[in-house]
């Protein structure tokens, strides 16, 4: 365990090791080397269902956190996620406590383990559980449901933990700015090794032509060429508003 977290391997429980062990984290065991990935789902169109809701947050905020957590991964792959409301979905999402249902894993009350998810497959495969004994929040004043969900969905898609401390797939909870795109290059390489990158035909503008390319949340609703310029539009309140300067293509 010390080796995984980049600590000096002593085999002893020193204070630094204890500190890392106490840090709120994911309940998926650290097995194997990073870079090893499971086969994935073998398809790109997946379904998800929110089986129950946490009382900690408004339902709409839970919906949004879950959807955003999935979009973190669909943004860099050909994956699509469709929400369903009954029956069995690929990714069944639930808030549970302690020993729960037929799940072979359990939760530990407040702090400690925050969530767990199962790798792609039938039955429990892809299913993602959050510890209801945590205080889930929209903005990370407790634990950010968005960030923990995005991490757990990495497992549900076939990723194991990363020992890169900047990776979303690092097992410990790190509070990040929820408005920033949470994937590191390590995460992107991992997910693209399973599902490939975005198709070349994607309508998304290439980096070099995006005015604020450093903001990965920037999306455009329409792109048009006007004379020799490319214009990007974003829909706002019933009309299109140009949100960025036009680019000259000469
Ligand atoms: Zn994990
Ligand atoms: Zn479970």
């Amino acid at each position: 365990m010390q080796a995984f977290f980049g600590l000096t391997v002593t085999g002893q429980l020193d204070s630094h090791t204890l500190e890392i062990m106490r840090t709120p984290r994911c309940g998926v065991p650290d097995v194997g080397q990073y870079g090893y990935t499971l086969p994935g789902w073998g398809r790109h169109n997946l379904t998800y269902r929110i089986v129950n809701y946490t009382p900690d947050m408004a339902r709409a905020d839970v919906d949004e956190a879950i959807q955003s957590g999935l979009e973190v991964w669909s943004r860099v792959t050909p994956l699509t996620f469709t929400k369903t409301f009954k029956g069995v979905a690929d990714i069944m999402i639930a808030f549970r406590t302690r020993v729960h249902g037929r799940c072979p894993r359990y939760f530990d009350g407040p702090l400690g383990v925050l969530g767990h998810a199962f790798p792609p497959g039938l039955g429990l495969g892809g299913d993602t559980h959050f510890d209801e004994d945590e205080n889930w929040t929209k903005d990370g004043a407790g634990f950010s449901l968005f960030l923990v969900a995005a991490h757990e969905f990495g497992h549900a898609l076939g990723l194991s933990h990363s020992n890169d401390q900047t990776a979303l797939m690092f097992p410990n909870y790190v509070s990040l700015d929820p408005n920033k795109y949470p994937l590191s290059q390590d995460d992107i390489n991992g997910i693209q090794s399973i599902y490939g990158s975005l198709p070349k035909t994607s309508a998304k503008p290439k980096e070099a032509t995006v005015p604020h390319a450093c903001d990965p949340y920037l999306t455009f609703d329409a792109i048009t060429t006007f004379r020799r310029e490319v214009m990007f539009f974003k829909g706002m309140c019933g009309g299109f508003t140009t949100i960025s300067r036009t680019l000259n293509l000469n």
Side-chain angles (χ1 to χ4, degrees):
M1 195 211 103
Q2 288 174 322
F4 186 90
F5 286 104
L7 304 172
T8 309
V9 180
T10 62
Q12 304 292 313
L13 279 177
D14 52 53
S15 61
H16 195 182
T17 309
L18 276 172
E19 188 185 317
I20 287 218
M21 287 177 72
R22 272 197 297 262
T23 308
R25 55 163 287 148
C26 171
V28 175
D30 301 318
V31 288
Q33 291 278 313
Y34 186 67
Y36 168 79
T37 46
L38 294 153
W41 287 92
R43 55 194 160 89
H44 291 151
N45 301 329
L46 301 174
T47 55
Y48 71 99
R49 181 181 153 197
I50 302 174
V51 178
N52 70 332
Y53 283 76
T54 173
D56 303 348
M57 294 166 65
R59 277 176 82 102
D61 290 337
V62 172
D63 288 337
E64 192 186 321
I66 296 298
Q67 191 187 332
S68 301
L70 290 165
E71 281 173 356
V72 158
W73 300 104
S74 60
R75 190 172 291 270
V76 293
T77 61
L79 290 166
T80 63
F81 299 100
T82 305
K83 190 176 184 181
T84 65
F85 296 89
K86 57 181 180 183
V88 178
D90 296 318
I91 299 173
M92 298 286 273
I93 297 158
F95 293 84
R96 301 288 189 233
T97 57
R98 306 284 176 173
V99 174
H100 48 277
R102 281 173 296 171
C103 184
R105 298 196 187 127
Y106 58 90
F107 286 127
D108 54 0
L111 305 180
V113 172
L114 307 178
H116 51 231
F118 295 87
L122 296 172
L124 273 171
D127 292 1
T128 302
H129 299 159
F130 300 101
D131 188 349
E132 183 53 77
D133 283 330
E134 311 304 344
N135 179 28
W136 296 107
T137 61
K138 178 183 174 175
D139 54 14
F143 290 109
S144 159
L145 180 60
F146 160 66
L147 282 176
V148 176
H151 172 101
E152 296 304 336
F153 293 148
H155 291 307
L157 295 171
L159 291 180
S160 48
H161 280 146
S162 169
N163 57 10
D164 176 346
Q165 301 211 14
T166 68
L168 178 66
M169 293 314 292
F170 189 69
N172 289 348
Y173 180 84
V174 179
S175 183
L176 300 170
D177 179 349
N179 296 313
K180 289 239 170 71
Y181 186 60
L183 293 195
S184 72
Q185 194 58 47
D186 185 70
D187 299 307
I188 294 172
N189 293 345
I191 201 71
Q192 291 187 342
S193 75
I194 307 178
Y195 298 102
S197 52
L198 280 174
K200 290 273 188 293
T201 52
S202 166
K204 289 191 179 169
K206 287 200 173 66
E207 247 180 70
T209 62
V210 178
H212 301 288
C214 54
D215 176 8
Y217 272 109
L218 186 65
T219 58
F220 299 103
D221 297 313
I223 302 171
T224 184
T225 49
F226 177 68
R227 285 185 277 190
R228 291 156 88 179
E229 294 179 330
V230 178
M231 302 180 81
F232 299 86
F233 296 97
K234 189 160 181 70
M236 293 181 74
C237 307
F240 278 120
T241 304
T242 309
I243 58 162
S244 52
R245 64 187 167 82
T246 58
L247 289 171
N248 198 314
L249 282 187
N250 285 338

